[in-house]
Amino acid sequence: MKITAAQALVRCLELEKVDIVFGYPGGAMLPVYDALYHSSIKHVLVRHEQGAVHAADGYARATGRVGVCMATSGPGATNLVTGIANAYMDSVPLVVFTGQVPTSQVGTDAFQEVDITGITIPITKHNYLVKDPAALPQIIKNAFHIASTGRPGPVLIDLPRDVAGATIDFHYPETVKLRGYKPTYRGHRNKINEAAELINRSQRPVIYAGGGILNSGASGELLELAELISAPVTNTFMGLSSFPGDHPLFLGMLGLHGTRYANLAVTECDLLIALGARFDDRVTGKLARFAPHAAVIHVDIDPAEIGKNVPVHVPIVGDVKLVLQSLLPLLKKTDRSPWLARVQELRELYPLRYNREGGLKPQYIIEELYRHTGGCATIATDVGQHQMWVAQYYRFKHPRGLISSGGLGTMGFGLPAAIGAQLGLPDQQVILVTGDGSFQMTMQELATVREQELPIKILMINNQTLGMVRQLQEYYCEGRYMAVDFEFHPDFITLARAYGIKGYTVETEEEAQRVIPEALGTTGPVLVNCLVSPQEKVLPMVPSGRGIDETFEC
């Protein structure tokens, strides 16, 4: 069958069962968009290319499928870079298509030409500049395989316009052709046996679970492990929602803004079972003080992560779901009542708390949100204080319930990511919790929300400042607040109305009690502007350069 490479691209997407593509057209992508005209694939027109890649990211996180986005050459491609880096840092499977100038003009500084493959080498799992149109189907097959296997991540395909317009004999390959790329899925049997022996002997185990649990679909095995060995579970930020937030063994998040009882439990444990986590700096604090009494079992599909930051006693390279399925039959149900009693004591000594006096508090808003959703909503966030309050006070009940930028910490991620999540899960309640700073970075995507008729509910924690930076300036710059307080305060309710979106303003607990359930029950999108004090801080907090046992709460 002879078709153009652009038509082949669209046919490949259909065969990969892609149902939605997020994008923004341009001259170099005209052949591809012309081919999409005849396809059943839904194309979502965003208002900025950054919105396309973040929406594809949110779609992938919410559904577990590969997210797909596309943009034209030059500025269209460079506008994707932050979102690609965001997905790379958080191990999110994306396939990103960019247009390119004709091959004869590559390297000539032609109009809207950039070396996007060169730019994105450090932030993609792999990328391609397509020179042979006949190779495109195999490249796309390989790209989806690379993006979704092993440690997931983004793959970029750069398509020159003349290549897109060339005619090829179309055949979509059934297999991938990748020399040297063979992720390890099944852990080494001897290492699994060693891990079982350590677990069975331990008196004070803690399970430290990261985003790999969600990527692997191992939440069920994690719950079975915790209950079998009576071990408390703490999540990384990326791992939140992998373990039920209301379970008695759940310690909440650990690290920089984690619960103090989670941090102290890790400090006191004799065995740390790390599952799909990478021991990043916001978790460990000062490495010399991290889990000082513990042997460490580390299970991860990426061998580069094992031993990178923390010495490991039992390394297991493999898919965490498959490893746990092999490990569980080797474990003994053990009474660890003294350890669980100690953990409960820590929980009672150092609960999460805040002062409800002095106006509406953001923590209260998150608690109200949890109360009215039961932890069952999909929560997208931006980056900043509101993000950490969600991590602390919203108890996720189901896997993939949190859609947020962890490793890169991308402000402006939340709204387009919520769009992607809602389109991927049309029957699920999707709520964006954002800040007034982050929201203004991508608020043009309200047009996409309205155009797609998405019932996203937006709770804005509006403190009229860049709250997290302000908090850091208070602690580390002796209260010299520089370039953090907004002197102009937009009327967000009028802005919402301009996009045909209903809006509320909330300033008191009583108003929050009335408005939040009303907003959640409204058909269509809603923006709730929650006015809170700029002085409110995210606590507890581990000071820079200190151990996670050195948390302060004031």
Side-chain angles (χ1 to χ4, degrees):
M1 181 170 59
K2 286 189 176 294
I3 57 176
T4 67
Q7 291 170 327
L9 185 157
V10 174
R11 184 69 184 125
C12 291
L13 295 183
E14 291 169 345
L15 292 170
E16 287 290 339
K17 296 182 170 50
V18 172
D19 56 350
I20 298 177
V21 170
F22 303 90
Y24 203 98
M29 286 293 278
L30 283 181
V32 175
Y33 272 80
D34 190 46
L36 274 171
Y37 182 84
H38 302 284
S39 174
S40 61
I41 295 172
K42 178 183 179 70
H43 180 276
V44 176
L45 176 63
V46 294
R47 297 307 188 262
H48 188 286
E49 291 89 353
Q50 184 178 357
V53 65
H54 287 331
D57 185 319
Y59 173 93
R61 294 186 202 230
T63 65
R65 301 178 61 193
V66 177
V68 180
C69 64
M70 55 182 59
T72 194
S73 63
T78 56
N79 281 343
L80 298 173
V81 169
T82 295
I84 294 170
N86 187 81
Y88 183 75
M89 290 285 284
D90 287 351
S91 304
V92 178
L94 300 183
V95 173
V96 179
F97 293 94
T98 52
Q100 185 56 275
V101 300
T103 51
S104 62
Q105 297 176 16
V106 170
T108 67
D109 294 331
F111 176 67
Q112 290 194 334
E113 180 200 358
V114 295
D115 179 10
I116 195 63
T117 53
I119 289 169
T120 58
I121 284 173
I123 56 169
T124 51
K125 197 172 173 186
H126 196 59
N127 66 24
Y128 297 90
L129 171 60
V130 184
K131 299 178 181 178
D132 177 6
L136 181 60
Q138 186 69 62
I139 287 172
I140 293 175
K141 183 72 174 181
N142 292 352
F144 275 85
H145 179 74
I146 293 169
S148 60
T149 56
R151 181 176 180 173
V155 178
L156 181 138
I157 299 174
D158 196 31
L159 186 63
R161 180 166 177 174
D162 60 323
V163 173
T167 300
I168 65 171
D169 288 314
F170 177 72
H171 169 72
Y172 196 52
E174 295 182 0
T175 59
V176 296
K177 293 181 180 179
L178 294 166
R179 291 192 336 181
Y181 178 71
K182 294 181 180 178
T184 299
Y185 286 95
R186 298 198 174 273
H188 194 282
R189 170 54 62 180
N190 290 344
K191 293 300 177 184
I192 292 173
N193 290 338
E194 287 179 35
E197 290 175 11
L198 265 182
I199 293 170
N200 288 332
R201 289 201 312 264
S202 69
Q203 298 299 310
R204 303 185 308 278
V206 168
I207 299 170
Y208 154 54
I213 295 287
L214 296 167
N215 286 338
S216 179
S219 292
E221 287 78 5
L222 173 62
L223 178 60
E224 185 178 351
L225 173 66
E227 292 181 339
L228 176 63
I229 67 173
S230 299
V233 176
T234 183
N235 275 145
T236 66
F237 176 74
M238 290 301 302
L240 288 170
S241 80
S242 67
F243 193 81
D246 57 355
H247 196 284
L249 289 172
F250 188 54
L251 296 175
M253 184 176 69
L254 82 162
L256 175 64
H257 291 298
T259 64
R260 191 171 184 187
Y261 48 86
N263 287 351
L264 291 175
V266 169
T267 301
E268 295 183 16
C269 74
D270 66 357
L271 177 64
L272 188 64
I273 307 167
L275 304 174
R278 60 189 180 90
F279 292 96
D280 71 283
D281 55 297
R282 290 171 72 94
V283 161
T284 62
K286 187 176 182 179
L287 285 170
R289 297 182 68 95
F290 181 75
H293 312 295
V296 176
I297 298 168
H298 191 182
V299 181
D300 203 285
I301 200 162
D302 185 356
E305 291 296 344
I306 295 181
K308 185 176 79 173
N309 296 326
V310 170
V312 175
H313 299 79
V314 181
I316 304 176
V317 177
D319 180 274
V320 67
K321 184 182 183 75
L322 297 178
V323 170
L324 288 179
Q325 287 174 349
S326 298
L327 176 65
L328 284 164
L330 307 177
L331 301 177
K332 301 174 184 176
K333 190 166 183 65
T334 307
D335 180 15
R336 292 187 169 90
S337 299
W339 174 229
L340 294 182
R342 172 57 179 161
V343 170
Q344 182 61 27
E345 180 185 17
L346 293 173
R347 198 191 301 267
E348 292 171 0
L349 284 171
Y350 307 110
L352 283 173
R353 54 178 174 246
Y354 62 95
N355 185 355
R356 286 177 62 176
E357 297 178 0
L360 180 63
K361 296 302 174 73
Q363 300 93 325
Y364 181 83
I365 296 165
I366 306 305
E367 288 181 323
E368 278 293 288
L369 181 62
Y370 172 75
R371 187 167 72 86
H372 289 289
T373 61
C376 295
T378 296
I379 306 294
T381 82
D382 269 295
V383 171
Q385 287 180 313
H386 69 273
Q387 179 189 37
M388 293 297 101
W389 285 317
V390 167
Q392 291 175 338
Y393 289 94
Y394 194 90
R395 290 176 283 171
F396 295 92
K397 196 167 185 177
H398 302 298
R400 298 188 178 273
L402 175 64
I403 312 293
S404 192
S405 172
L408 196 64
T410 306
M411 293 176 68
F413 171 80
L415 181 56
I419 290 170
Q422 187 71 83
L423 284 163
L425 302 173
D427 298 325
Q428 174 71 352
Q429 182 163 59
V430 175
I431 300 166
L432 168 64
V433 180
T434 185
D436 52 316
S438 287
F439 183 72
Q440 292 182 78
M441 289 194 169
T442 52
M443 63 186 182
Q444 72 277 356
E445 298 305 335
L446 288 175
T448 311
V449 171
R450 198 69 184 85
E451 193 167 83
Q452 298 296 323
E453 298 182 343
L454 301 177
I456 295 169
K457 309 302 185 278
I458 303 168
L459 265 68
M460 181 189 299
I461 308 299
N462 185 353
N463 55 10
Q464 302 180 349
T465 187
L466 299 175
M468 188 61 84
V469 182
R470 192 180 197 277
Q471 177 172 332
L472 296 176
Q473 287 180 343
E474 178 169 332
Y475 288 129
Y476 300 127
C477 302
E478 299 177 343
R480 294 184 293 276
Y481 302 123
M482 176 62 192
V484 291
D485 294 321
F486 296 125
E487 295 182 8
F488 173 74
H489 308 136
D491 183 344
F492 290 109
I493 303 305
T494 300
L495 175 72
R497 290 195 189 113
Y499 286 96
I501 294 172
K502 190 172 185 178
Y504 300 85
T505 294
V506 169
E507 298 186 65
T508 66
E509 287 188 0
E510 292 74 23
E511 289 175 343
Q513 292 167 7
R514 175 180 56 82
V515 167
I516 289 176
E518 183 177 334
L520 294 177
T522 300
T523 302
V526 176
L527 186 147
V528 181
N529 181 28
C530 304
L531 299 178
V532 301
S533 167
Q535 279 77 41
E536 196 65 25
K537 300 179 186 64
V538 178
L539 296 171
M541 176 176 172
V542 177
S544 178
R546 309 294 285 274
I548 62 170
D549 60 319
E550 299 178 283
T551 299
F552 65 82
E553 301 186 59
C554 62

